[in-house]
Amino acid sequence: MPSRKLTVVLTWSAVALLGASALGGIALNRGESVNSLWFVTAAVCVYALGYRFYSAFVATRVLLLDAGRATPAERFNDGRDFVPTHRWVVFGHHFAAIAGPGPLIGPTLAAQFGYLPGTLWILIGAVFGGCVQDFVVLVCSIRRDGRSLGQMARDELGPIGGSAALVGVMAIMIILIAVLGLVVVNAMKHSPWATSTVAATIPIAVLIGLYMREIRPGRVIEATLIGVTLLIISVAGGGWIDHHPALRTWFDYDAPTLALMIIAYGFAAAVLPVWLLLAPRDYLSTFMKLGTITALAVAILILHPDISMPALTAFIDGTGPIFGGKLFPFVFITIACGAISGFHALISSGTTPKLLANEADARFIGYGAMMMESFVAIMAMIAATVLDPGVYFAINSPAGVVGKEAADAVATISSWGFPVDVGQMAALAREMGEASLFARTGGAPSLAVGMASLFASAFGDGLLALWYHFAIMFEALFILTTLDAGTRVARFMLQDMLGNWHPVLGRTGWYPGVLFSSALVVAGWGYFLYMGTIDPLGSINSLWPLFGIANQMLAAIALCVATTILVKTGKASYAWITALPLSWLIVVTSSAAWEKLFSPELRVGFLAHARDLGDKLAAGLLSADQAAKAPQLIFNDYLDATLTAVFMGLSWILAADTTRVCYCVLAGRPHPPSSESPRIPSRLTENWVRD
């Protein structure tokens, strides 16, 4: 064996052995604290092996990537939606678009089960599920003129499965964007620092978009340096504004007002040329995201703190205070984007295939960006589990579960075996610059506390409040980039649907159609967002489980389409790469949906909770304040139950139709023909040599 080949074999064998040892240390340790370095080591090794070998197998043996094939960005270049773009800018846009609240909030909430279940699902689910889904759907869309997921389903499956997919994907998309908006509103409300910094990214993005297209075309490095510098200034300026008595009032808004602002921004992001706002803003946001996650990884390497949360807690039986439900199936829907997310398939068949200039880059962007997001989820899991468990549960447990008074909350949490006291929580709140940290549900505040503690210990002990508010702003920015790209993708999907009824409405180049479809999409998710901000409980407790179920069902729809396309293009022997994660998701989402519909547990079942609340209201057992809120809460429960049932029914229709079409293909029976576009050689000569 040549020495170079032997070196490569030994190197990758060492990586595999190190990764296996790290995973074994995480999984098998009981009764002893586990160092966070094992998590980082395991993640890096698993991702390196997955990208080097599994993604290469999918690229070369299954998809047969073709660098000489013209992409939709080249063939349909219209300067607004279809624009050949530098691969690093596309990577930045794609990562920013897919990396929303899931990899941050999901692992933080799932830590109530312990560190082990979530960590294993993040690693295994990403390499064999999420990365594959994103990669395969991206290539399928590129080879079908950049069509959306719903339109590909209609073309490949026929009228029954296609119609179910179009309706299901559109409905799920509206819910997903509304939940994203609600999370970002909750993170930004009455936070002038976060609001001013996020607002500053909009004019900065417009400037960079104009710079790269009009002022200095193709000078990506120059534009990046200018944009990142301005972004850093805006972060520092946000802190200054937050401490300025007069200026902070300009950026201090309540939730309903912020919702209206985000609705207006979503409309602008959907109708403006992609090169002017969306792509440069997401590209620049990626630097803050990756920079912050890198800094977090460095802090972990410097401090290598021990994990405080046990591998498994007593709450795997479904009695958890943060959300109800047993370990199976709820850990798999709570952690969505860090392992596999249907929302990613919408980006992979939405904006990204319309920007990609070279098909060969699909592996780097589709598989690689999802791998990076999974690493974000591992960082979030570490940040949440290095916290003292008593502090973690005090921040994340609702007042209705542990008690409204601080003394009641600490007594309840301490009785679970996670001691915490009022003085400890009061001191922590003062250090973070907050009045109180009790019952700050939703995952974002506890993640910010964990991140701030690590940053302060590694980079500056006297700056806890600064790091905490920076982390809150970082989370808001993380989520908002997903919202704007999601709105644009939903506009593409709606235009695809309207184009089946009236062809002119399906043309992305016809501006009246763009404005009309964008207004409909924004009105749809804007309604749910605004209602969520005036809901007595903020809707996050009921909408997050629905978000998880809908997101994973959307992934199942995407994998149905991908599996059908692989079978129809002569790759039936390799269809297992999408069929196996599809089968797992059908089982998980159906189980979760059934529980949310029919469980008698009040904290799990939508219908049980609605009936119980209705009975108490009728019997006069509620206080005046509770009675005033009850009708809205009952309506929310029934709405959530209806949507869950619809999503479950649509996913089963898609699964059945996928099985039917694949059987017809293999048996030689009539079936919808493949909608893949003919191969056209690329004439694109720009190779970005200047950079």
Side-chain angles (χ1 to χ4, degrees), residues 466-688:
L466 183 146
W467 287 120
Y468 174 80
H469 286 94
F470 172 82
I472 288 290
M473 180 275 304
F474 158 77
E475 293 172 31
L477 190 62
F478 219 108
I479 297 164
L480 197 59
T481 51
T482 307
L483 182 144
D484 56 24
T487 301
R488 198 176 190 94
V489 171
R491 189 257 287 177
F492 289 144
M493 293 193 309
L494 182 58
Q495 284 195 272
D496 282 342
M497 294 175 64
L498 295 175
N500 295 320
W501 169 61
H502 200 302
V504 71
L505 293 175
R507 284 170 39 202
T508 57
W510 190 55
Y511 221 65
V514 170
L515 295 172
F516 176 68
S517 56
S518 298
L520 289 180
V521 168
V522 172
W525 63 257
Y527 168 79
F528 286 100
L529 170 59
Y530 190 80
M531 289 297 105
T533 62
I534 62 175
D535 186 296
L537 297 183
S539 289
I540 198 67
N541 291 326
S542 58
L543 283 180
W544 187 264
L546 181 62
F547 171 89
I549 292 172
N551 199 16
Q552 301 303 72
M553 286 184 174
L554 185 55
I557 292 174
L559 290 170
C560 282
V561 175
T563 302
T564 303
I565 289 174
L566 290 179
V567 172
K568 291 171 74 171
T569 53
K571 297 294 181 180
S573 59
Y574 295 119
W576 55 268
I577 69 167
T578 53
L580 289 180
L582 167 61
S583 301
W584 173 250
L585 286 181
I586 290 292
V587 171
V588 167
T589 54
S590 297
S591 301
W594 188 266
E595 287 286 311
K596 295 302 293 182
L597 284 173
F598 302 115
S599 173
E601 295 292 330
L602 300 183
R603 295 179 59 241
V604 178
F606 290 133
L607 297 177
H609 184 262
R611 286 193 296 267
D612 178 74
L613 201 56
D615 292 343
K616 290 179 178 177
L617 180 64
L621 300 178
L622 301 177
S623 66
D625 182 57
Q626 292 173 328
K629 297 175 181 177
Q632 181 67 58
L633 297 178
I634 293 171
F635 173 80
N636 288 349
D637 279 332
Y638 282 119
L639 177 62
D640 292 345
T642 301
L643 291 172
T644 300
V646 169
F647 294 158
M648 183 169 64
L650 291 174
S651 64
W652 274 101
I653 291 173
L654 261 295
D657 215 36
T658 296
T659 303
R660 178 189 65 82
V661 173
C662 290
Y663 171 77
C664 290
V665 173
L666 297 175
R669 295 187 176 183
H671 60 271
S674 173
S675 61
E676 182 173 324
S677 303
R679 181 186 186 278
I680 298 176
S682 176
R683 295 174 179 265
L684 200 60
T685 57
E686 172 63 73
N687 58 9
W688 315 102

Side-chain angles (χ1 to χ4, degrees), residues 303-336:
L303 301 171
H304 46 84
D306 288 336
I307 300 298
S308 299
M309 189 73 70
L312 294 171
T313 69
F315 302 132
I316 59 174
D317 64 355
T319 60
I322 298 173
F323 60 90
K326 296 181 180 179
L327 177 66
F328 179 87
F330 287 99
V331 73
F332 302 104
I333 65 165
T334 302
I335 297 178

Side-chain angles (χ1 to χ4, degrees), residues 28 71 104 112 126 135 141 152 208 435 441 461 487 675 686:
L28 301 178
T71 65
L104 295 173
Q112 80 162 4
F135 183 18
S141 181
M152 286 195 293
I208 298 308
T441 59
D461 242 346
T487 301
S675 61
E686 172 63 73

Side-chain angles (χ1 to χ4, degrees), residues 291-310:
T292 303
I293 294 301
T294 301
L296 186 58
V298 170
I300 291 170
L301 292 175
I302 293 173
L303 301 171
H304 46 84
D306 288 336
I307 300 298
S308 299
M309 189 73 70

